[in-house]
Amino acid sequence: MAECAVRITVLGSGTSTGVPTIGCHCDVCTSADPRDKRLRPSILVSYGGHHVLIDATPDFRAQALRTGFERLDAILFTHEHADHIMGLDDVRPFNFHQRARIPIYASERTMAAIHAAFRYVFDGDEKGTAIPQLDSHTLNGASFDLFGLEFTPIPLLHGKAAIYGFRFGNAAYLTDHSEIPEDSLDRLRGLDVLFLDALRYKPHPTHSTVDRSIATAGRLAARRVFFTHICHDLAHARTEARLPPHIRLAYDGLEIEVEGARA
Ligand SMILES: [Zn+2]
Ligand SMILES: [Zn+2]
Ligand SMILES: [Zn+2]
């Protein structure tokens, strides 16, 4: 396959509650900076006319309408927390328009949790109403090809839970994690674009922090780093002013072209 451009669109850069947070009147939740308005965390990976979604958030419908993509070719799940899966029912319009089922990919545990959370989608009973049409593919950690681009699951620790990030070409998306195992670090060399969880400054048992992710960025020496899964402790402009120039905060709607994407 010829080299093809890969574009990443940030659909959501916020933590599980989103920012603003319901009932909060802090300076970030009331900020006029549009970059301080963060839907739940997800990216869209677009290449060769295909669109691959990583995580289907509770904001998925709003994210799809705002971004304007009208095809959805596959969904990858990092893990089963509600902020990463609860938009799954809203993929139905893509089934209608494309007249096709959509493949979904997740680890065995995450897939089981998705099947439990959306039992009506997977139980095989006749519904007489429209449900998502999905084909489940369980990941065992091996790389897999989607429409000519190789995706590699990257094991991460999210507190005690083993979850996946994903590398594709010269980019990697590592949301929710508190630790990156050594073996996984070895699979993250030579990146042009690296997304890292950076919830806030204060330590958290299941998430990385700004300082921890700055250290990770230094170890991996990715050319461009974007922090995501951000809570209302971090004002966009104020936080970026304290970061090295190659590390930025992701924001909803940000589009990034990955250099040297793939052959
Ligand atoms: Zn999350
Ligand atoms: Zn707030
Ligand atoms: Zn999580």
Side-chain angles (χ1 to χ4, degrees):
M1 181 177 171
E3 178 113 342
C4 80
V6 173
R7 188 177 71 247
I8 299 171
T9 306
V10 176
L11 301 182
S13 57
T15 189
S16 58
T17 55
V19 180
T21 304
I22 294 170
C24 185
H25 304 280
C26 76
D27 67 331
V28 177
C29 287
T30 57
S31 165
D33 186 338
R35 299 170 303 179
D36 285 328
K37 307 223 177 299
R38 304 174 183 129
L39 297 178
R40 266 61 71 85
S42 170
I43 60 168
L44 188 73
V45 183
S46 304
Y47 54 98
H50 294 99
H51 297 294
V52 174
L53 180 70
I54 302 187
D55 291 333
T57 83
D59 298 315
F60 174 71
R61 176 177 172 276
Q63 291 166 330
L65 289 170
R66 183 166 70 182
T67 309
F69 61 95
E70 296 182 352
R71 269 197 73 81
L72 184 58
D73 298 285
I75 308 171
L76 278 51
F77 288 99
T78 58
H79 67 304
E80 68 275 25
H81 287 165
D83 51 328
H84 299 261
I85 70 168
M86 280 302 171
L88 189 55
D89 195 76
D90 283 326
V91 306
R92 288 174 295 146
F94 294 101
N95 288 135
F96 304 154
H97 296 318
Q98 293 163 209
R99 298 176 194 277
R101 302 172 71 80
I102 295 172
I104 67 172
Y105 297 81
S107 71
E108 188 174 357
R109 194 200 65 228
T110 296
M111 191 65 83
I114 290 169
H115 281 223
F118 294 90
R119 193 163 63 86
Y120 64 95
V121 174
F122 301 100
D123 65 9
D125 295 350
E126 191 52 51
K127 295 296 181 309
T129 184
I131 57 170
Q133 303 293 315
L134 306 169
D135 286 330
S136 300
H137 299 266
T138 301
L139 299 175
N140 60 8
S143 299
F144 56 104
D145 179 278
L146 281 179
F147 321 112
L149 182 62
E150 184 176 83
F151 286 78
T152 301
I154 305 292
L156 303 172
L157 281 172
H158 182 23
K160 291 197 172 95
I163 76 154
Y164 281 147
F166 292 101
R167 178 175 182 153
F168 42 96
N170 290 339
Y173 181 70
L174 313 182
T175 184
D176 307 45
H177 67 272
S178 43
E179 196 180 326
I180 306 175
E182 286 296 323
D183 285 356
S184 295
L185 290 170
D186 291 340
R187 299 159 91 172
L188 295 166
R189 307 290 172 199
L191 291 170
D192 175 40
V193 173
L194 171 62
F195 281 84
L196 291 172
D197 182 356
L199 182 72
R200 61 189 190 192
Y201 286 106
K202 210 171 108 190
H204 187 281
T206 64
H207 285 279
S208 188
T209 59
V210 171
D211 291 332
R212 188 181 175 96
S213 284
I214 289 173
T216 302
R219 277 190 78 179
L220 292 175
R223 197 166 76 83
R224 294 179 285 168
V225 178
F226 297 92
F227 288 170
T228 192
H229 213 293
I230 304 161
C231 89
H232 64 165
D233 288 8
L234 304 185
H236 188 96
R238 201 162 62 226
T239 309
E240 275 204 334
R242 296 167 60 177
L243 292 173
H246 72 291
I247 302 179
R248 301 287 86 188
L249 294 194
Y251 57 87
D252 295 18
L254 172 66
E255 292 189 4
I256 303 154
E257 298 278 344
V258 183
E259 301 290 331
R262 61 153 285 105

